[in-house]
Amino acid sequence: METEALIKPGFCCPGITDECMLRCQMCDKWHKDKVTYGKPKPVLSDWKRFALQLRDLVDENFEIDIGGGEALLVDWLWDFVRHCTDIGLKMTVASNGYLVDENMAKRIADSGLFSLVLSLDSLDENIHDSWRGVSGVHKRVMQAIDNLAKYAPRVHVGLCSIIMQSTLNGLLELGTWVNQDPRLKSLYYMVPMQPNNTYWGMDGFDKYWYKSEKFGFYWPQDTKKVYEILDEIIQRRKNGELIGNSVIQLEAYKRYLGEPDRFVKKDPCNLDRALHVSSTGEICLCYSWGSLGNIRNKEDDLRKLWTSEKAEQIREKIRTCSENCHFLLNCFFEQDYPFKVE
């Protein structure tokens, strides 16, 4: 137990809201969440207290990746980012870009944000908007890039794109554009997973979701083409292009997209070092294995919860898990982690 107490968080993702103005086909967060809807939510002071406790567990410039829903809908977001930055944490926010007008870009600059990652699935306006379920989203993303370049030039602006059936043909073109546009600093590819909010815990995880009539439409069916495109992306990554994924992660993507029924790695899952907080304040290592406490409760001190017996019991379950989950493949994929593709 003494050794386990020395484990530091390696990844932190607060999902500060489940609200979103888009109607994305690959995400159900915009529906009423069966777990969080109607429950009390943490306030800014709760999140600030959480950040201070986290700072005691991590090194300087530890990165917090804020997600949602659409995080920019939260009115106190930039106050929270400023607080975290001031205490030595590096802050990244994922956004659909819809709300980044001139005023929002100025607020982003004032907050000290390190990176804003915008979702863009295709340079084709019709493809992107159809996936996001609201017309004009593509134009909003392009306007967001302009506004950030003008009013928040020090912020690292990256893009995130999902490898889906209808986006395959444009992935390389998107990568070329990112590398030619000085306003953009990175492109991160993600693989499709069972949509958010369609499962709760391990009992609701459908291993064969990609074959279902409900969700299978966005799984890339042409495996040969997937391999060809990923091989080109891997080569570009080796050549130093602005690709946020490591080569070994992209190799794991190939295995997953070619054989999704097969677990892509041999080593124990590294989510035993992850830290998630839900929009209702529940503190989890991995959402599949239950909560350690809630940031709304002052007595639930993260520093004690992180090294608690309950946390270690959950870590043991995580280490034996063999699901190709969203967090394992897309989010907490450490480049220096001994991730072995079979």
Side-chain angles (χ1 to χ4, degrees):
M1 193 66 192
E2 182 178 352
T3 301
E4 296 298 340
L6 300 176
I7 294 177
K8 293 183 179 181
F11 173 80
C12 179
C13 182
I16 61 174
T17 181
D18 293 311
E19 302 295 324
C20 187
M21 74 290 290
L22 302 190
R23 299 293 182 261
C24 299
Q25 296 186 60
M26 74 295 283
C27 176
D28 268 19
K29 281 251 179 170
W30 50 275
H31 290 297
K32 290 180 181 179
D33 189 300
K34 294 180 181 179
V35 175
T36 64
Y37 180 72
K39 291 186 177 180
K41 305 296 193 295
V43 295
L44 177 58
S45 59
D46 296 324
W47 286 104
K48 285 184 174 181
R49 184 173 61 251
F50 161 78
L52 287 169
Q53 293 170 359
L54 174 64
R55 184 66 187 85
D56 286 343
L57 293 172
V58 299
D59 296 327
E60 184 83 14
N61 287 323
F62 176 82
E63 183 172 321
I64 295 181
D65 300 303
I66 296 179
E70 174 51 47
L72 273 61
L73 284 170
V74 179
D75 57 3
W76 46 256
L77 170 63
W78 304 119
D79 290 333
F80 179 58
V81 169
R82 180 76 268 170
H83 169 77
C84 292
T85 301
D86 288 345
I87 63 173
L89 297 167
K90 185 165 70 172
M91 303 301 291
T92 292
V93 172
S95 172
N96 59 40
Y98 199 83
L99 297 176
V100 186
D101 57 13
E102 293 182 10
N103 181 60
M104 182 67 77
K106 292 175 182 177
R107 293 182 67 192
I108 290 170
D110 291 341
S111 73
L113 183 72
F114 167 70
S115 175
L116 187 69
V117 180
L118 304 173
S119 296
L120 186 64
D121 299 310
S122 175
L123 289 176
D124 186 313
E125 181 177 347
N126 293 325
I127 291 177
H128 183 73
D129 285 3
S130 66
W131 280 111
R132 298 295 162 174
V134 174
S135 62
V137 179
H138 185 278
K139 285 187 174 68
R140 293 273 193 140
V141 174
M142 294 303 173
Q143 290 168 359
I145 294 171
D146 273 342
N147 290 330
L148 290 164
K150 291 177 183 177
Y151 302 108
R154 295 184 179 181
V155 175
H156 175 118
V157 179
L159 298 182
C160 179
S161 186
I162 305 174
I163 302 171
M164 300 180 285
Q165 180 61 31
S166 66
T167 65
L168 280 178
N169 288 331
L171 289 178
L172 297 180
E173 180 188 9
L174 179 63
T176 298
W177 175 63
V178 169
N179 278 270
Q180 293 175 347
D181 193 322
R183 301 172 301 171
L184 301 171
K185 305 304 179 185
S186 64
L187 172 60
Y188 192 84
Y189 295 100
M190 299 180 79
V191 288
M193 290 284 174
Q194 183 176 340
N196 289 327
N197 286 30
T198 61
Y199 63 91
W200 296 267
M202 299 306 292
D203 292 340
F205 186 85
D206 181 2
K207 187 174 183 179
Y208 302 104
W209 68 269
Y210 61 93
K211 295 180 179 179
S212 71
E213 183 177 349
K214 185 175 182 181
F215 303 128
F217 64 90
Y218 89 102
W219 182 263
Q221 303 292 335
D222 191 341
T223 304
K224 181 180 179 181
K225 190 167 191 175
V226 168
Y227 284 174
E228 291 174 352
I229 290 173
L230 277 172
D231 282 341
E232 175 63 23
I233 291 172
I234 288 169
Q235 188 57 52
R236 291 185 180 195
R237 176 66 173 79
K238 291 178 178 178
N239 291 341
E241 290 200 8
L242 302 176
I243 297 172
N245 312 79
S246 66
V247 170
I248 193 69
Q249 182 181 23
L250 293 168
E251 292 285 359
Y253 281 3
K254 282 181 63 178
R255 171 49 56 90
Y256 168 69
L257 292 171
E259 301 179 77
D261 298 345
R262 187 175 181 182
F263 193 46
V264 298
K265 67 191 293 276
K266 295 179 180 178
D267 293 322
C269 177
N270 57 320
L271 289 179
D272 61 340
R273 293 174 49 241
L275 179 60
H276 295 91
V277 185
S278 73
S279 64
T280 57
E282 296 297 335
I283 303 168
C284 304
L285 302 180
C286 172
Y287 285 125
S288 296
W289 302 110
S291 171
L292 293 175
N294 194 298
I295 68 169
R296 292 188 297 109
N297 302 327
K298 292 184 179 180
E299 63 271 22
D300 286 345
D301 190 313
L302 176 64
R303 294 163 294 192
K304 295 179 180 179
L305 295 175
W306 181 255
T307 59
S308 66
E309 182 178 351
K310 184 176 182 180
E312 181 52 29
Q313 291 171 350
I314 290 175
R315 288 191 180 100
E316 287 301 316
K317 294 177 181 178
I318 290 173
R319 290 163 186 156
T320 58
C321 180
S322 59
E323 295 290 349
N324 290 320
C325 76
H326 175 80
F327 292 107
L328 173 67
L329 275 168
N330 284 331
C331 299
F332 187 28
F333 195 108
E334 299 171 292
Q335 188 169 348
D336 59 348
Y337 186 76
F339 196 105
K340 300 176 183 177
V341 180
E342 293 183 342

